[in-house]
mmCIF file of all heavy atoms in Angstrom:
data_model
loop_
_atom_site.group_PDB
_atom_site.id
_atom_site.type_symbol
_atom_site.label_atom_id
_atom_site.label_comp_id
_atom_site.label_asym_id
_atom_site.label_seq_id
_atom_site.Cartn_x
_atom_site.Cartn_y
_atom_site.Cartn_z
ATOM 1 N N GLU A 1 4.636 -10.928 -5.373
ATOM 2 C CA GLU A 1 5.541 -11.791 -6.079
ATOM 3 C C GLU A 1 6.169 -11.146 -7.254
ATOM 4 O O GLU A 1 7.390 -11.178 -7.520
ATOM 5 C CB GLU A 1 4.840 -13.142 -6.465
ATOM 6 C CG GLU A 1 5.744 -14.105 -7.165
ATOM 7 C CD GLU A 1 4.951 -15.441 -7.495
ATOM 8 O OE1 GLU A 1 3.693 -15.504 -7.299
ATOM 9 O OE2 GLU A 1 5.608 -16.322 -7.906
ATOM 10 N N ALA A 2 5.270 -10.476 -8.074
ATOM 11 C CA ALA A 2 5.767 -9.757 -9.255
ATOM 12 C C ALA A 2 6.765 -8.622 -8.744
ATOM 13 O O ALA A 2 7.749 -8.397 -9.506
ATOM 14 C CB ALA A 2 4.600 -9.220 -9.998
ATOM 15 N N PHE A 3 6.366 -8.024 -7.722
ATOM 16 C CA PHE A 3 7.226 -6.943 -7.137
ATOM 17 C C PHE A 3 8.620 -7.470 -6.890
ATOM 18 O O PHE A 3 9.640 -6.821 -7.152
ATOM 19 C CB PHE A 3 6.582 -6.320 -5.900
ATOM 20 C CG PHE A 3 7.447 -5.377 -5.118
ATOM 21 C CD1 PHE A 3 7.609 -4.029 -5.542
ATOM 22 C CD2 PHE A 3 8.080 -5.782 -3.952
ATOM 23 C CE1 PHE A 3 8.417 -3.178 -4.874
ATOM 24 C CE2 PHE A 3 8.932 -4.945 -3.297
ATOM 25 C CZ PHE A 3 9.049 -3.631 -3.719
ATOM 26 N N LEU A 4 8.688 -8.600 -6.133
ATOM 27 C CA LEU A 4 9.999 -9.233 -5.798
ATOM 28 C C LEU A 4 10.795 -9.635 -7.047
ATOM 29 O O LEU A 4 12.001 -9.359 -7.050
ATOM 30 C CB LEU A 4 9.759 -10.491 -4.850
ATOM 31 C CG LEU A 4 9.217 -10.202 -3.548
ATOM 32 C CD1 LEU A 4 9.002 -11.563 -2.795
ATOM 33 C CD2 LEU A 4 10.170 -9.357 -2.736
ATOM 34 N N LEU A 5 10.086 -10.179 -8.023
ATOM 35 C CA LEU A 5 10.774 -10.609 -9.212
ATOM 36 C C LEU A 5 11.329 -9.387 -9.966
ATOM 37 O O LEU A 5 12.441 -9.457 -10.538
ATOM 38 C CB LEU A 5 9.866 -11.499 -10.166
ATOM 39 C CG LEU A 5 9.504 -12.784 -9.525
ATOM 40 C CD1 LEU A 5 8.389 -13.477 -10.352
ATOM 41 C CD2 LEU A 5 10.785 -13.729 -9.463
ATOM 42 N N ASN A 6 10.551 -8.398 -10.142
ATOM 43 C CA ASN A 6 11.004 -7.132 -10.856
ATOM 44 C C ASN A 6 12.001 -6.340 -10.128
ATOM 45 O O ASN A 6 12.825 -5.711 -10.796
ATOM 46 C CB ASN A 6 9.740 -6.266 -11.098
ATOM 47 C CG ASN A 6 8.778 -6.942 -12.111
ATOM 48 O OD1 ASN A 6 9.185 -7.730 -12.924
ATOM 49 N ND2 ASN A 6 7.536 -6.540 -12.076
ATOM 50 N N SER A 7 11.969 -6.329 -8.811
ATOM 51 C CA SER A 7 12.925 -5.486 -8.038
ATOM 52 C C SER A 7 14.240 -6.210 -7.963
ATOM 53 O O SER A 7 15.283 -5.401 -7.779
ATOM 54 C CB SER A 7 12.380 -5.219 -6.608
ATOM 55 O OG SER A 7 12.419 -6.380 -5.834
ATOM 56 N N GLY A 8 14.320 -7.416 -8.002
ATOM 57 C CA GLY A 8 15.681 -8.160 -7.984
ATOM 58 C C GLY A 8 16.197 -8.212 -6.600
ATOM 59 O O GLY A 8 17.373 -8.549 -6.356
ATOM 60 N N SER A 9 15.383 -7.839 -5.515
ATOM 61 C CA SER A 9 15.895 -7.809 -4.245
ATOM 62 C C SER A 9 16.016 -9.168 -3.545
ATOM 63 O O SER A 9 16.696 -9.316 -2.465
ATOM 64 C CB SER A 9 15.033 -6.892 -3.312
ATOM 65 O OG SER A 9 13.638 -7.288 -3.350
ATOM 66 N N VAL A 10 15.362 -10.142 -4.196
ATOM 67 C CA VAL A 10 15.398 -11.532 -3.679
ATOM 68 C C VAL A 10 15.752 -12.427 -4.813
ATOM 69 O O VAL A 10 15.253 -12.241 -5.981
ATOM 70 C CB VAL A 10 13.948 -11.929 -3.142
ATOM 71 C CG1 VAL A 10 14.010 -13.373 -2.654
ATOM 72 C CG2 VAL A 10 13.623 -10.993 -2.066
ATOM 73 N N PRO A 11 16.698 -13.425 -4.621
ATOM 74 C CA PRO A 11 17.008 -14.312 -5.648
ATOM 75 C C PRO A 11 15.750 -15.026 -6.194
ATOM 76 O O PRO A 11 14.792 -15.395 -5.352
ATOM 77 C CB PRO A 11 17.860 -15.315 -5.044
ATOM 78 C CG PRO A 11 18.528 -14.623 -3.924
ATOM 79 C CD PRO A 11 17.468 -13.646 -3.474
ATOM 80 N N GLN A 12 15.565 -15.299 -7.423
ATOM 81 C CA GLN A 12 14.371 -15.824 -8.053
ATOM 82 C C GLN A 12 13.981 -17.172 -7.384
ATOM 83 O O GLN A 12 12.673 -17.358 -7.227
ATOM 84 C CB GLN A 12 14.602 -15.979 -9.503
ATOM 85 C CG GLN A 12 13.280 -16.189 -10.344
ATOM 86 C CD GLN A 12 13.505 -16.039 -11.855
ATOM 87 O OE1 GLN A 12 14.663 -15.876 -12.296
ATOM 88 N NE2 GLN A 12 12.497 -16.106 -12.502
ATOM 89 N N ASP A 13 14.945 -18.012 -7.081
ATOM 90 C CA ASP A 13 14.575 -19.278 -6.491
ATOM 91 C C ASP A 13 14.081 -19.194 -5.029
ATOM 92 O O ASP A 13 13.593 -20.187 -4.469
ATOM 93 C CB ASP A 13 15.673 -20.310 -6.652
ATOM 94 C CG ASP A 13 17.012 -19.821 -5.898
ATOM 95 O OD1 ASP A 13 17.185 -18.623 -5.734
ATOM 96 O OD2 ASP A 13 17.728 -20.656 -5.436
ATOM 97 N N LYS A 14 14.322 -17.990 -4.412
ATOM 98 C CA LYS A 14 13.805 -17.797 -3.038
ATOM 99 C C LYS A 14 12.432 -17.080 -2.891
ATOM 100 O O LYS A 14 11.850 -17.039 -1.834
ATOM 101 C CB LYS A 14 14.872 -17.000 -2.284
ATOM 102 C CG LYS A 14 16.262 -17.599 -2.247
ATOM 103 C CD LYS A 14 16.333 -18.854 -1.413
ATOM 104 C CE LYS A 14 17.806 -19.273 -1.348
ATOM 105 N NZ LYS A 14 18.085 -20.571 -2.003
ATOM 106 N N VAL A 15 11.916 -16.564 -4.081
ATOM 107 C CA VAL A 15 10.717 -15.831 -3.982
ATOM 108 C C VAL A 15 9.567 -16.539 -3.387
ATOM 109 O O VAL A 15 8.808 -16.010 -2.581
ATOM 110 C CB VAL A 15 10.372 -15.338 -5.410
ATOM 111 C CG1 VAL A 15 8.979 -14.742 -5.455
ATOM 112 C CG2 VAL A 15 11.390 -14.208 -5.850
ATOM 113 N N LYS A 16 9.406 -17.828 -3.705
ATOM 114 C CA LYS A 16 8.322 -18.579 -3.219
ATOM 115 C C LYS A 16 8.371 -18.764 -1.707
ATOM 116 O O LYS A 16 7.330 -18.716 -1.011
ATOM 117 C CB LYS A 16 8.250 -20.051 -3.830
ATOM 118 C CG LYS A 16 9.447 -20.945 -3.583
ATOM 119 C CD LYS A 16 9.309 -22.218 -4.327
ATOM 120 C CE LYS A 16 10.612 -23.050 -4.031
ATOM 121 N NZ LYS A 16 10.650 -24.225 -4.819
ATOM 122 N N PHE A 17 9.543 -18.747 -1.093
ATOM 123 C CA PHE A 17 9.648 -18.804 0.353
ATOM 124 C C PHE A 17 9.272 -17.561 0.919
ATOM 125 O O PHE A 17 8.641 -17.523 2.023
ATOM 126 C CB PHE A 17 11.098 -19.263 0.715
ATOM 127 C CG PHE A 17 11.536 -20.586 0.181
ATOM 128 C CD1 PHE A 17 12.505 -20.653 -0.748
ATOM 129 C CD2 PHE A 17 10.907 -21.714 0.608
ATOM 130 C CE1 PHE A 17 12.907 -21.848 -1.249
ATOM 131 C CE2 PHE A 17 11.271 -22.973 0.117
ATOM 132 C CZ PHE A 17 12.238 -23.020 -0.852
ATOM 133 N N TYR A 18 9.629 -16.402 0.300
ATOM 134 C CA TYR A 18 9.288 -15.083 0.872
ATOM 135 C C TYR A 18 7.802 -14.926 0.840
ATOM 136 O O TYR A 18 7.144 -14.477 1.761
ATOM 137 C CB TYR A 18 9.940 -14.009 0.044
ATOM 138 C CG TYR A 18 11.278 -13.644 0.515
ATOM 139 C CD1 TYR A 18 12.390 -14.619 0.406
ATOM 140 C CD2 TYR A 18 11.594 -12.415 0.996
ATOM 141 C CE1 TYR A 18 13.650 -14.350 0.905
ATOM 142 C CE2 TYR A 18 12.951 -12.110 1.460
ATOM 143 C CZ TYR A 18 13.892 -13.046 1.367
ATOM 144 O OH TYR A 18 15.129 -12.778 1.805
ATOM 145 N N ILE A 19 7.060 -15.423 -0.203
ATOM 146 C CA ILE A 19 5.686 -15.421 -0.368
ATOM 147 C C ILE A 19 5.018 -16.276 0.754
ATOM 148 O O ILE A 19 4.003 -15.851 1.388
ATOM 149 C CB ILE A 19 5.216 -15.933 -1.740
ATOM 150 C CG1 ILE A 19 5.770 -15.018 -2.797
ATOM 151 C CG2 ILE A 19 3.695 -16.034 -1.834
ATOM 152 C CD1 ILE A 19 5.264 -13.606 -2.778
ATOM 153 N N HIS A 20 5.526 -17.383 1.011
ATOM 154 C CA HIS A 20 5.109 -18.315 2.122
ATOM 155 C C HIS A 20 5.164 -17.554 3.462
ATOM 156 O O HIS A 20 4.176 -17.595 4.203
ATOM 157 C CB HIS A 20 5.969 -19.557 2.104
ATOM 158 C CG HIS A 20 5.693 -20.429 3.380
ATOM 159 N ND1 HIS A 20 4.578 -21.194 3.494
ATOM 160 C CD2 HIS A 20 6.396 -20.562 4.534
ATOM 161 C CE1 HIS A 20 4.604 -21.895 4.623
ATOM 162 N NE2 HIS A 20 5.678 -21.492 5.299
ATOM 163 N N TRP A 21 6.308 -16.910 3.782
ATOM 164 C CA TRP A 21 6.410 -16.260 5.062
ATOM 165 C C TRP A 21 5.429 -15.095 5.179
ATOM 166 O O TRP A 21 4.804 -14.884 6.261
ATOM 167 C CB TRP A 21 7.836 -15.784 5.304
ATOM 168 C CG TRP A 21 8.792 -16.911 5.424
ATOM 169 C CD1 TRP A 21 9.925 -17.129 4.671
ATOM 170 C CD2 TRP A 21 8.792 -17.985 6.378
ATOM 171 N NE1 TRP A 21 10.572 -18.258 5.032
ATOM 172 C CE2 TRP A 21 9.906 -18.874 6.070
ATOM 173 C CE3 TRP A 21 7.973 -18.404 7.321
ATOM 174 C CZ2 TRP A 21 10.168 -20.064 6.774
ATOM 175 C CZ3 TRP A 21 8.168 -19.594 8.087
ATOM 176 C CH2 TRP A 21 9.305 -20.389 7.780
ATOM 177 N N VAL A 22 5.292 -14.353 4.140
ATOM 178 C CA VAL A 22 4.351 -13.270 4.144
ATOM 179 C C VAL A 22 2.921 -13.762 4.301
ATOM 180 O O VAL A 22 2.106 -13.136 5.104
ATOM 181 C CB VAL A 22 4.447 -12.349 2.902
ATOM 182 C CG1 VAL A 22 3.376 -11.261 2.851
ATOM 183 C CG2 VAL A 22 5.844 -11.655 2.937
ATOM 184 N N TRP A 23 2.585 -14.812 3.597
ATOM 185 C CA TRP A 23 1.217 -15.371 3.725
ATOM 186 C C TRP A 23 0.973 -15.823 5.119
ATOM 187 O O TRP A 23 -0.091 -15.540 5.666
ATOM 188 C CB TRP A 23 1.047 -16.591 2.776
ATOM 189 C CG TRP A 23 -0.236 -17.301 2.924
ATOM 190 C CD1 TRP A 23 -1.485 -16.886 2.448
ATOM 191 C CD2 TRP A 23 -0.378 -18.552 3.641
ATOM 192 N NE1 TRP A 23 -2.382 -17.867 2.913
ATOM 193 C CE2 TRP A 23 -1.776 -18.799 3.642
ATOM 194 C CE3 TRP A 23 0.509 -19.425 4.364
ATOM 195 C CZ2 TRP A 23 -2.338 -19.922 4.164
ATOM 196 C CZ3 TRP A 23 -0.047 -20.569 4.943
ATOM 197 C CH2 TRP A 23 -1.417 -20.762 4.844
ATOM 198 N N ARG A 24 1.955 -16.472 5.831
ATOM 199 C CA ARG A 24 1.777 -16.907 7.218
ATOM 200 C C ARG A 24 1.580 -15.567 8.086
ATOM 201 O O ARG A 24 0.867 -15.695 9.095
ATOM 202 C CB ARG A 24 2.912 -17.747 7.661
ATOM 203 C CG ARG A 24 2.857 -19.140 7.119
ATOM 204 C CD ARG A 24 3.929 -19.988 7.547
ATOM 205 N NE ARG A 24 3.858 -20.130 9.046
ATOM 206 C CZ ARG A 24 4.448 -21.098 9.705
ATOM 207 N NH1 ARG A 24 5.255 -21.994 9.121
ATOM 208 N NH2 ARG A 24 4.397 -21.193 11.028
ATOM 209 N N PHE A 25 2.418 -14.585 7.871
ATOM 210 C CA PHE A 25 2.264 -13.376 8.657
ATOM 211 C C PHE A 25 0.867 -12.787 8.487
ATOM 212 O O PHE A 25 0.211 -12.390 9.476
ATOM 213 C CB PHE A 25 3.353 -12.412 8.223
ATOM 214 C CG PHE A 25 3.226 -11.076 8.913
ATOM 215 C CD1 PHE A 25 3.371 -10.873 10.225
ATOM 216 C CD2 PHE A 25 2.854 -9.888 8.111
ATOM 217 C CE1 PHE A 25 3.296 -9.651 10.856
ATOM 218 C CE2 PHE A 25 2.743 -8.721 8.828
ATOM 219 C CZ PHE A 25 2.902 -8.606 10.125
ATOM 220 N N LEU A 26 0.396 -12.693 7.234
ATOM 221 C CA LEU A 26 -0.878 -12.060 7.029
ATOM 222 C C LEU A 26 -2.036 -12.939 7.698
ATOM 223 O O LEU A 26 -2.937 -12.411 8.277
ATOM 224 C CB LEU A 26 -1.221 -11.962 5.499
ATOM 225 C CG LEU A 26 -0.327 -10.837 4.804
ATOM 226 C CD1 LEU A 26 -0.593 -10.868 3.323
ATOM 227 C CD2 LEU A 26 -0.651 -9.478 5.304
ATOM 228 N N LYS A 27 -1.851 -14.198 7.591
ATOM 229 C CA LYS A 27 -2.793 -15.083 8.249
ATOM 230 C C LYS A 27 -2.845 -14.867 9.821
ATOM 231 O O LYS A 27 -3.839 -14.865 10.448
ATOM 232 C CB LYS A 27 -2.446 -16.587 8.007
ATOM 233 C CG LYS A 27 -3.398 -17.522 8.398
ATOM 234 C CD LYS A 27 -3.032 -18.939 7.992
ATOM 235 C CE LYS A 27 -3.954 -19.977 8.550
ATOM 236 N NZ LYS A 27 -3.536 -21.376 8.217
ATOM 237 N N SER A 28 -1.626 -14.651 10.376
ATOM 238 C CA SER A 28 -1.456 -14.396 11.777
ATOM 239 C C SER A 28 -2.167 -13.102 12.205
ATOM 240 O O SER A 28 -2.609 -12.878 13.271
ATOM 241 C CB SER A 28 -0.080 -14.494 12.300
ATOM 242 O OG SER A 28 0.647 -13.310 11.923
ATOM 243 N N CYS A 29 -2.164 -12.170 11.219
ATOM 244 C CA CYS A 29 -2.795 -10.827 11.468
ATOM 245 C C CYS A 29 -4.294 -10.820 11.056
ATOM 246 O O CYS A 29 -4.913 -9.735 11.013
ATOM 247 C CB CYS A 29 -2.120 -9.667 10.677
ATOM 248 S SG CYS A 29 -0.377 -9.446 11.241
ATOM 249 N N HIS A 30 -4.766 -11.926 10.691
ATOM 250 C CA HIS A 30 -6.191 -12.099 10.236
ATOM 251 C C HIS A 30 -6.441 -11.253 8.958
ATOM 252 O O HIS A 30 -7.505 -10.688 8.772
ATOM 253 C CB HIS A 30 -7.165 -11.793 11.271
ATOM 254 C CG HIS A 30 -6.958 -12.578 12.562
ATOM 255 N ND1 HIS A 30 -7.218 -13.981 12.580
ATOM 256 C CD2 HIS A 30 -6.489 -12.340 13.773
ATOM 257 C CE1 HIS A 30 -6.905 -14.458 13.784
ATOM 258 N NE2 HIS A 30 -6.454 -13.453 14.518
ATOM 259 N N TYR A 31 -5.422 -11.004 8.173
ATOM 260 C CA TYR A 31 -5.525 -10.327 6.880
ATOM 261 C C TYR A 31 -5.901 -8.864 7.145
ATOM 262 O O TYR A 31 -6.416 -8.190 6.182
ATOM 263 C CB TYR A 31 -6.463 -11.008 5.869
ATOM 264 C CG TYR A 31 -6.031 -12.472 5.604
ATOM 265 C CD1 TYR A 31 -6.583 -13.575 6.224
ATOM 266 C CD2 TYR A 31 -5.031 -12.713 4.669
ATOM 267 C CE1 TYR A 31 -6.210 -14.834 5.955
ATOM 268 C CE2 TYR A 31 -4.592 -13.918 4.289
ATOM 269 C CZ TYR A 31 -5.231 -15.051 5.037
ATOM 270 O OH TYR A 31 -4.758 -16.215 4.740
ATOM 271 N N GLN A 32 -5.701 -8.336 8.276
ATOM 272 C CA GLN A 32 -6.020 -6.929 8.563
ATOM 273 C C GLN A 32 -4.698 -6.110 8.369
ATOM 274 O O GLN A 32 -3.885 -5.937 9.240
ATOM 275 C CB GLN A 32 -6.497 -6.830 10.002
ATOM 276 C CG GLN A 32 -7.693 -7.606 10.398
ATOM 277 C CD GLN A 32 -8.877 -7.119 9.602
ATOM 278 O OE1 GLN A 32 -9.134 -5.940 9.392
ATOM 279 N NE2 GLN A 32 -9.727 -8.038 9.093
ATOM 280 N N LEU A 33 -4.621 -5.509 7.180
ATOM 281 C CA LEU A 33 -3.399 -4.789 6.827
ATOM 282 C C LEU A 33 -3.295 -3.524 7.686
ATOM 283 O O LEU A 33 -2.118 -3.071 7.977
ATOM 284 C CB LEU A 33 -3.424 -4.303 5.417
ATOM 285 C CG LEU A 33 -3.460 -5.500 4.304
ATOM 286 C CD1 LEU A 33 -3.424 -4.915 2.956
ATOM 287 C CD2 LEU A 33 -2.250 -6.420 4.499
ATOM 288 N N ASP A 34 -4.365 -2.978 8.262
ATOM 289 C CA ASP A 34 -4.258 -1.853 9.113
ATOM 290 C C ASP A 34 -3.704 -2.145 10.451
ATOM 291 O O ASP A 34 -3.259 -1.292 11.158
ATOM 292 C CB ASP A 34 -5.675 -1.169 9.298
ATOM 293 C CG ASP A 34 -6.186 -0.618 8.005
ATOM 294 O OD1 ASP A 34 -5.314 -0.303 7.143
ATOM 295 O OD2 ASP A 34 -7.404 -0.438 7.892
ATOM 296 N N SER A 35 -3.762 -3.485 10.836
ATOM 297 C CA SER A 35 -3.251 -3.820 12.191
ATOM 298 C C SER A 35 -1.847 -4.209 12.228
ATOM 299 O O SER A 35 -1.268 -4.643 13.191
ATOM 300 C CB SER A 35 -4.121 -4.938 12.746
ATOM 301 O OG SER A 35 -3.924 -6.108 11.980
ATOM 302 N N ILE A 36 -1.143 -4.108 11.096
ATOM 303 C CA ILE A 36 0.345 -4.440 10.945
ATOM 304 C C ILE A 36 1.159 -3.339 11.649
ATOM 305 O O ILE A 36 1.042 -2.207 11.309
ATOM 306 C CB ILE A 36 0.717 -4.630 9.449
ATOM 307 C CG1 ILE A 36 0.016 -5.884 8.889
ATOM 308 C CG2 ILE A 36 2.222 -4.767 9.419
ATOM 309 C CD1 ILE A 36 0.270 -5.994 7.395
ATOM 310 N N ASN A 37 1.893 -3.780 12.667
ATOM 311 C CA ASN A 37 2.777 -2.920 13.365
ATOM 312 C C ASN A 37 3.964 -3.760 13.895
ATOM 313 O O ASN A 37 4.043 -4.917 13.716
ATOM 314 C CB ASN A 37 2.097 -2.165 14.464
ATOM 315 C CG ASN A 37 1.359 -3.055 15.388
ATOM 316 O OD1 ASN A 37 1.873 -4.192 15.690
ATOM 317 N ND2 ASN A 37 0.287 -2.622 15.902
ATOM 318 N N THR A 38 4.911 -3.055 14.673
ATOM 319 C CA THR A 38 6.014 -3.731 15.180
ATOM 320 C C THR A 38 5.602 -4.885 16.183
ATOM 321 O O THR A 38 6.212 -5.922 16.267
ATOM 322 C CB THR A 38 7.008 -2.857 15.898
ATOM 323 O OG1 THR A 38 6.255 -2.035 16.863
ATOM 324 C CG2 THR A 38 7.630 -1.926 14.868
ATOM 325 N N GLU A 39 4.490 -4.592 16.862
ATOM 326 C CA GLU A 39 4.033 -5.680 17.873
ATOM 327 C C GLU A 39 3.498 -6.870 17.161
ATOM 328 O O GLU A 39 3.892 -7.976 17.536
ATOM 329 C CB GLU A 39 2.939 -5.066 18.764
ATOM 330 C CG GLU A 39 2.502 -5.950 19.840
ATOM 331 C CD GLU A 39 1.490 -5.387 20.690
ATOM 332 O OE1 GLU A 39 1.450 -4.157 20.930
ATOM 333 O OE2 GLU A 39 0.582 -6.067 21.252
ATOM 334 N N SER A 40 2.782 -6.705 16.064
ATOM 335 C CA SER A 40 2.263 -7.886 15.371
ATOM 336 C C SER A 40 3.417 -8.656 14.691
ATOM 337 O O SER A 40 3.450 -9.851 14.664
ATOM 338 C CB SER A 40 1.244 -7.481 14.313
ATOM 339 O OG SER A 40 1.780 -6.603 13.349
ATOM 340 N N LEU A 41 4.420 -7.893 14.159
ATOM 341 C CA LEU A 41 5.581 -8.587 13.605
ATOM 342 C C LEU A 41 6.383 -9.371 14.692
ATOM 343 O O LEU A 41 6.782 -10.462 14.560
ATOM 344 C CB LEU A 41 6.526 -7.583 12.917
ATOM 345 C CG LEU A 41 7.779 -8.132 12.334
ATOM 346 C CD1 LEU A 41 7.548 -9.183 11.309
ATOM 347 C CD2 LEU A 41 8.622 -7.036 11.793
ATOM 348 N N SER A 42 6.545 -8.682 15.811
ATOM 349 C CA SER A 42 7.221 -9.373 16.952
ATOM 350 C C SER A 42 6.543 -10.602 17.426
ATOM 351 O O SER A 42 7.169 -11.645 17.640
ATOM 352 C CB SER A 42 7.384 -8.414 18.041
ATOM 353 O OG SER A 42 8.036 -8.977 19.146
ATOM 354 N N GLN A 43 5.216 -10.564 17.486
ATOM 355 C CA GLN A 43 4.493 -11.695 17.878
ATOM 356 C C GLN A 43 4.608 -12.886 16.922
ATOM 357 O O GLN A 43 4.734 -14.043 17.247
ATOM 358 C CB GLN A 43 2.976 -11.388 18.025
ATOM 359 C CG GLN A 43 2.699 -10.488 19.319
ATOM 360 C CD GLN A 43 1.271 -10.113 19.360
ATOM 361 O OE1 GLN A 43 0.514 -10.234 18.464
ATOM 362 N NE2 GLN A 43 0.920 -9.445 20.465
ATOM 363 N N TYR A 44 4.562 -12.531 15.699
ATOM 364 C CA TYR A 44 4.719 -13.536 14.523
ATOM 365 C C TYR A 44 6.026 -14.180 14.622
ATOM 366 O O TYR A 44 6.171 -15.424 14.595
ATOM 367 C CB TYR A 44 4.455 -12.822 13.272
ATOM 368 C CG TYR A 44 4.842 -13.733 12.006
ATOM 369 C CD1 TYR A 44 4.088 -14.787 11.783
ATOM 370 C CD2 TYR A 44 5.870 -13.359 11.151
ATOM 371 C CE1 TYR A 44 4.422 -15.637 10.561
ATOM 372 C CE2 TYR A 44 6.140 -14.080 10.086
ATOM 373 C CZ TYR A 44 5.467 -15.297 9.783
ATOM 374 O OH TYR A 44 5.782 -16.039 8.712
ATOM 375 N N LEU A 45 7.140 -13.427 14.737
ATOM 376 C CA LEU A 45 8.468 -13.927 14.819
ATOM 377 C C LEU A 45 8.710 -14.747 16.054
ATOM 378 O O LEU A 45 9.386 -15.785 16.062
ATOM 379 C CB LEU A 45 9.503 -12.789 14.733
ATOM 380 C CG LEU A 45 9.474 -12.019 13.449
ATOM 381 C CD1 LEU A 45 10.454 -10.897 13.463
ATOM 382 C CD2 LEU A 45 9.723 -12.950 12.204
ATOM 383 N N ASP A 46 8.086 -14.323 17.196
ATOM 384 C CA ASP A 46 8.199 -15.128 18.410
ATOM 385 C C ASP A 46 7.564 -16.498 18.264
ATOM 386 O O ASP A 46 8.091 -17.499 18.673
ATOM 387 C CB ASP A 46 7.493 -14.417 19.547
ATOM 388 C CG ASP A 46 8.316 -13.217 20.094
ATOM 389 O OD1 ASP A 46 9.551 -13.102 19.749
ATOM 390 O OD2 ASP A 46 7.812 -12.357 20.855
ATOM 391 N N SER A 47 6.435 -16.573 17.504
ATOM 392 C CA SER A 47 5.721 -17.837 17.310
ATOM 393 C C SER A 47 6.668 -18.719 16.364
ATOM 394 O O SER A 47 6.666 -19.886 16.553
ATOM 395 C CB SER A 47 4.359 -17.619 16.657
ATOM 396 O OG SER A 47 4.425 -17.206 15.247
#
């Protein structure tokens, strides 16, 4: 969240939504950062 706010790549009022989507993605990956790949992203977006 701090990264998004400092980088300015996302409007400030949208940051909470970006956090929400990333949280759901991490939850779908069982918080295993090593297992993140195009397939896991594709499965998440399909859902």
Side-chain angles (χ1 to χ4, degrees):
E1 180 178 9
F3 170 81
L4 290 175
L5 291 170
N6 291 334
S7 70
S9 56
V10 177
Q12 197 168 4
D13 61 330
K14 305 288 187 248
V15 168
K16 64 183 176 184
F17 300 111
Y18 277 62
I19 298 298
H20 170 76
W21 296 122
V22 170
W23 174 77
R24 285 183 63 164
F25 174 68
L26 291 174
K27 189 176 174 185
S28 74
C29 294
H30 306 288
Y31 303 97
Q32 301 294 321
L33 298 180
D34 294 337
S35 67
I36 294 175
N37 55 32
T38 53
E39 186 177 326
S40 61
L41 176 59
S42 179
Q43 289 173 352
Y44 171 65
L45 295 175
D46 287 346
S47 71

